[in-house]
């Protein structure tokens, strides 16, 4: 099947849905999503969204906190424009129907998280993401120009390569004409032709074996752009959240929000001793890279599998009312946050790098935008400040939409695109080949390319990955395509880019920490 649209949106989290709502009055919008519309990271976001909303705070303070967390690698211009647009984007989310908690006096109940010098996190209990997603989905479903198609897996963006032309990384005029998409209901590969395409495919946590990310976060957007010879950057900066619930066997790992530490939760080792004071004067509220590394170090020295988060001194009713979801989850595995210590461990959480975009969300490929976690705007630098990612997605989907609306009239559909060539694909691959390779990649990434790295570990990871890459490409070339083999291929490609970027960085910076390098 060949389908035509003005705007093709790939992904249904905050980045994809907010872009769709903004452009929908200017053309037909088609949103593709690989699972159910609400199956995404946005729906799991807990702590909230950072923004300057009160006179006691200021854009300058939020800018400074973002740059300090980013460890000198942020693009200051991007930080300034993101933070200074924060208030407007929050007002818009509220106008779309999102609720944020308020105090009895009617003011926003602003929380504080690691690296923030002020209370500035707007939240809806500990379920901010699902509240934002609820409001966005309701608006999108009501718009006559927007169509949402679930269970549609984008395999590749279409470029001149599919017209038989030679496309290299040096070619300046690579152009996107849409995407080839595997319909998981019919098993057909459909061709979507669009004037403008936006990738809003989220993160890549499943590159690692322990992650807070939902199953859909397999780095597909980054892999598609890398294959299409577009630019991606900062991929070595993968953020590990310090406190995922230690519950062996549970996948993905459940997050214990940083807001719990902002509320007074204290980290302790298994002997019951506090330890954060040894690593940073800001203790539990130091930026995430520092807290995650401190926990990793404590665990390596003691040989323990986790540390504890202690909330027993906090008011029980306040805990339940602020964190009802976390409280219920802990209780479901026999932990009463008010009486028991919570076992926690770092887990892969957020990709600070991604598809390189400019201040209007334009990628290096013409007519292709990217927004949200799959994009690298320069906001986060070497380490994202907590709760800045929902904000980044809202700001950059807005900016991409404004730019795309100005461009749309000047672009015509390229209808001269061949349909997907499935000749020679005859094998229904054995799942064991895919699941075993996936486990191998996740293990080598976790053991060699995790919180602490070394030259030897990175090279070993690259060598091992090379073999799995070769085997997977051979399998892919002759297989009838399925979502698992496409995701495995994407995870391998994203892993490759992470390792290569880590090898190229010659100084320790933010989330990239190697025992062989010194601090920049
Ligand atoms: P997502 O919301 O992940 O959406 C990606 C979409 O793309 C999904 O719909 C997916 O199905 C679709 N997709 C992916 N690949 C394909 C493909 N090949 N074809 C078709 N569709 C595809 N950030 C904050 O700022 N504040 C928080 O409190 C916060 N809490 C978090 C808590 C957790 C547990 C996690 C994991 C992250 C949290 N983050 C938080 C990070 C934040 O939630 C994400 O960075 C943000 O939601 C990403 O939004 P997105 O729209 O870019 O991607
Ligand atoms: C959290 O609630 O700790 C997650 C916040 C974030 O990832 O920004």
């Amino acid at each position: 099947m060949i389908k035509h649209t003005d705007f093709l949106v790939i992904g249904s989290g905050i980045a994809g849905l907010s872009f769709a709502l903004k452009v929908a009055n200017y053309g037909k919008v088609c949103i593709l999503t690989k699972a159910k519309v609400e199956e995404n990271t946005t729906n799991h976001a807990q702590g909230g969204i950072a923004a300057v909303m009160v006179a006691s705070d200021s854009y300058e303070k939020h800018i400074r906190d973002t740059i300090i967390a980013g460890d000198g690698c942020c693009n200051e211009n991007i930080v300034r424009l993101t933070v200074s647009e924060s208030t407007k984007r929050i007002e818009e989310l509220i106008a779309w129907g999102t609720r944020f908690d308020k105090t009895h006096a009617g003011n926003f109940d602003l929380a504080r998280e690691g690296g923030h010098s002020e209370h500035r996190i707007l939240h809806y209990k500990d379920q901010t993401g699902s509240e934002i997603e609820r409001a966005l989905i309701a608006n999108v479903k009501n718009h006559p120009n927007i169509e949402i198609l679930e269970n549609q897996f984008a395999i590749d963006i279409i470029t001149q390569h599919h017209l038989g032309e030679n496309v290299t990384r040096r070619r300046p005029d690579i152009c996107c004409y849409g995407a080839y998409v595997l319909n998981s209901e019919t098993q057909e590969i459909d061709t979507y032709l669009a004037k403008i395409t936006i990738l809003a495919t989220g993160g890549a946590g499943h590159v690692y074996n322990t992650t807070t990310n939902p199953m859909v976060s397999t780095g597909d957007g980054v892999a598609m752009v890398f294959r299409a010879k577009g630019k991606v950057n900062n991929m070595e900066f993968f953020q590990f959240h310090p406190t995922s619930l230690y519950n062996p066997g549970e996948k993905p790992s459940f997050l214990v929000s940083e807001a719990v530490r902002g509320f007074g939760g204290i980290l302790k080792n298994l002997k019951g001793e506090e330890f954060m004071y040894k690593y940073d004067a800001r203790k539990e509220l130091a930026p995430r890279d520092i807290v995650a590394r401190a926990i990793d170090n404590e665990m390596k020295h003691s040989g323990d599998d986790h540390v504890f988060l202690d909330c027993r001194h906090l008011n029980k009713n306040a805990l339940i009312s602020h964190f009802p979801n976390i409280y219920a989850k802990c209780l479901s595995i026999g932990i009463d946050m008010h009486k028991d210590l919570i076992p926690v461990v770092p887990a892969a959480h957020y990709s600070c790098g991604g598809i390189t975009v400019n201040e209007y969300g334009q990628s290096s490929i013409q007519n292709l935008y990217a927004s949200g976690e799959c994009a690298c705007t320069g906001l986060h630098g070497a380490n994202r400040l907590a709760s800045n990612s929902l904000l980044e997605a809202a700001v950059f989907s807005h900016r991409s939409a404004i730019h795309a609306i100005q461009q749309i009239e000047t672009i015509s559909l390229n209808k001269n695109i061949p349909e997907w060539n499935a000749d020679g694909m005859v094998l229904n691959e054995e799942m064991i080949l895919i699941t075993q390779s996936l486990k191998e990649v996740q293990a080598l990434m976790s053991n060699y390319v995790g919180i602490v790295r070394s030259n030897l570990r990175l090279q070993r990871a690259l060598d091992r990955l090379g073999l799995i890459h070769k085997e997977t490409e051979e399998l892919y070339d002759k297989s009838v395509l399925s979502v698992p083999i496409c995701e495995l291929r994407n995870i391998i490609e994203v892993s490759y880019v992470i390792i290569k970027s880590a090898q190229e960085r010659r100084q320790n910076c933010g989330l990239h920490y190697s025992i062989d390098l010194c601090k920049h």
Side-chain angles (χ1 to χ4, degrees):
M1 182 198 76
I2 301 186
K3 192 168 165 122
H4 300 162
T5 187
D6 293 308
F7 301 97
L8 179 64
V9 180
I10 304 179
S12 58
I14 183 173
L17 298 183
S18 59
F19 176 88
L21 282 173
K22 300 225 155 193
V23 296
N25 290 340
Y26 301 86
K28 264 176 42 185
V29 183
C30 178
I31 303 176
L32 302 179
T33 189
K34 71 175 172 181
K36 292 268 176 224
V37 63
E38 70 284 356
E39 270 181 66
N40 49 55
T41 316
T42 302
N43 211 27
H44 292 266
Q46 293 184 354
I49 179 163
V52 175
M53 301 301 289
V54 287
S56 54
D57 197 359
S58 71
Y59 292 138
E60 281 310 315
K61 285 187 196 167
H62 189 177
I63 289 165
R64 196 175 56 228
D65 293 345
T66 302
I67 290 175
I68 291 173
D71 203 11
C73 293
C74 300
N75 175 331
E76 187 172 339
N77 174 40
I78 295 293
V79 177
R80 288 195 169 277
L81 69 84
T82 306
V83 169
S84 56
E85 290 176 24
S86 62
T87 320
K88 277 204 194 102
R89 299 287 77 81
I90 295 294
E91 286 164 2
E92 206 162 60
L93 285 172
I94 293 170
W96 278 327
T98 309
R99 296 164 294 173
F100 292 112
D101 285 349
K102 292 201 167 164
T103 62
H104 290 306
N107 303 317
F108 288 118
D109 177 26
L110 300 173
R112 190 168 164 206
E113 292 179 351
H116 287 275
S117 57
E118 291 287 333
H119 282 74
R120 66 164 74 92
I121 318 293
L122 292 122
H123 60 97
Y124 179 74
K125 306 193 186 302
D126 54 359
Q127 296 145 45
T128 313
S130 64
E131 173 58 12
I132 293 176
E133 189 72 6
R134 179 200 61 74
L136 292 176
I137 291 175
N139 283 276
V140 159
K141 286 194 168 162
N142 266 336
H143 202 294
N145 274 358
I146 305 180
E147 181 182 23
I148 311 180
L149 298 169
E150 297 180 324
N151 302 315
Q152 307 297 319
F153 183 95
I155 303 169
D156 267 321
I157 53 164
I158 303 171
T159 67
Q160 292 95 330
H161 166 78
H162 301 98
L163 300 172
E165 295 179 27
N166 185 21
V167 176
T168 66
R169 279 191 203 285
R170 276 198 224 112
R171 188 169 166 165
D173 66 337
I174 308 174
C175 186
C176 176
Y177 306 117
Y180 290 120
V181 178
L182 170 61
N183 180 331
S184 303
E185 283 153 14
T186 64
Q187 305 309 319
E188 298 284 318
I189 296 174
D190 298 323
T191 307
Y192 283 79
L193 300 181
K195 293 181 182 170
I196 280 174
T197 303
I198 183 163
L199 289 170
T201 49
H206 287 274
V207 158
Y208 292 96
N209 60 15
T210 307
T211 178
T212 59
N213 289 192
M215 300 312 284
V216 292
S217 303
T218 52
D220 301 347
V222 170
M224 281 188 254
V225 167
F226 184 69
R227 272 197 296 275
K229 312 278 191 274
K231 289 190 184 149
V232 302
N233 70 312
N234 281 8
M235 290 298 292
E236 68 274 35
F237 299 131
F238 211 102
Q239 184 170 72
F240 284 72
H241 196 290
T243 56
S244 79
L245 184 64
Y246 176 73
N247 185 24
E250 180 170 12
K251 232 177 160 143
S253 303
F254 182 81
L255 184 77
V256 180
S257 174
E258 190 150 318
V260 177
R261 273 175 284 132
F263 203 67
I266 295 170
L267 288 165
K268 294 189 171 164
N269 61 23
L270 265 56
K271 291 189 198 140
E273 298 159 346
E274 292 185 30
F275 57 84
M276 272 316 299
Y277 69 90
K278 291 189 279 181
Y279 299 90
D280 195 283
R282 292 161 289 184
K283 299 203 277 189
E284 273 73 11
L285 289 181
R288 267 182 205 171
D289 55 333
I290 295 170
V291 183
R293 244 183 339 261
I295 296 176
D296 187 68
N297 196 45
E298 291 289 316
M299 285 166 41
K300 288 221 166 86
H301 274 101
S302 64
D304 297 326
D305 290 336
H306 62 83
V307 296
F308 284 126
L309 184 62
D310 191 353
C311 297
R312 295 172 300 178
H313 54 292
L314 302 174
N315 178 282
K316 182 173 182 177
N317 290 339
L319 267 179
I320 296 176
S321 91
H322 277 83
F323 307 109
N325 193 33
I326 298 172
Y327 201 94
K329 172 68 193 184
C330 288
L331 216 48
S332 77
I333 59 165
I335 297 161
D336 180 339
M337 275 172 87
H338 184 58
K339 291 192 191 137
D340 305 313
L341 294 160
I342 310 168
V344 290
V345 66
H349 183 65
Y350 185 85
S351 174
C352 293
I355 302 159
T356 311
V357 294
N358 66 10
E359 67 262 50
Y360 299 107
Q362 289 177 284
S363 75
S364 62
I365 298 178
Q366 288 172 19
N367 304 339
L368 180 72
Y369 295 73
S371 177
E373 192 168 337
C374 70
C376 181
T377 62
L379 174 69
H380 310 308
N383 177 44
R384 175 178 66 100
L385 183 65
S387 289
N388 259 359
S389 53
L390 292 171
L391 173 65
E392 181 193 43
V395 167
F396 278 84
S397 286
H398 168 81
R399 297 181 72 85
S400 301
I402 300 291
H403 196 271
I405 290 164
Q406 286 163 1
Q407 298 300 307
I408 192 87
E409 291 303 324
T410 66
I411 305 170
S412 40
L413 276 183
N414 185 341
K415 297 191 179 162
N416 189 27
I417 301 289
E419 290 199 57
W420 181 265
N421 180 3
D423 288 354
M425 293 176 164
V426 289
L427 184 76
N428 268 320
E429 73 277 3
E430 286 183 273
M431 268 310 278
I432 188 65
L433 298 177
I434 296 172
T435 52
Q436 178 58 26
S437 294
L438 180 62
K439 281 185 198 152
E440 285 177 32
V441 177
Q442 290 169 333
L444 72 85
M445 288 301 289
S446 298
N447 293 328
Y448 299 146
V449 200
I451 297 175
V452 176
R453 302 163 180 177
S454 75
N455 291 344
L456 189 61
R457 289 181 203 176
L458 292 177
Q459 191 53 46
R460 193 164 275 204
L462 192 64
D463 294 343
R464 299 282 195 279
L465 190 73
L467 177 64
I468 305 171
H469 175 253
K470 183 171 165 289
E471 289 170 356
T472 306
E473 285 302 297
E474 283 167 11
L475 189 64
Y476 178 88
D477 283 344
K478 56 189 179 200
S479 292
V480 174
L481 290 197
S482 64
V483 170
I485 194 163
C486 293
E487 287 184 338
L488 171 62
R489 196 167 172 245
N490 291 339
I491 282 175
I492 291 172
E493 265 155 28
V494 171
S495 300
Y496 172 81
V497 184
I498 295 175
I499 299 169
K500 290 299 278 182
S501 318
Q503 286 184 321
E504 278 160 25
R505 190 151 296 271
R506 302 313 312 149
Q507 286 177 319
N508 283 335
C509 182
L511 296 157
H512 177 65
Y513 182 83
S514 164
I515 53 175
D516 295 320
L517 301 179
C518 359
K519 181 84 185 127
H520 69 131

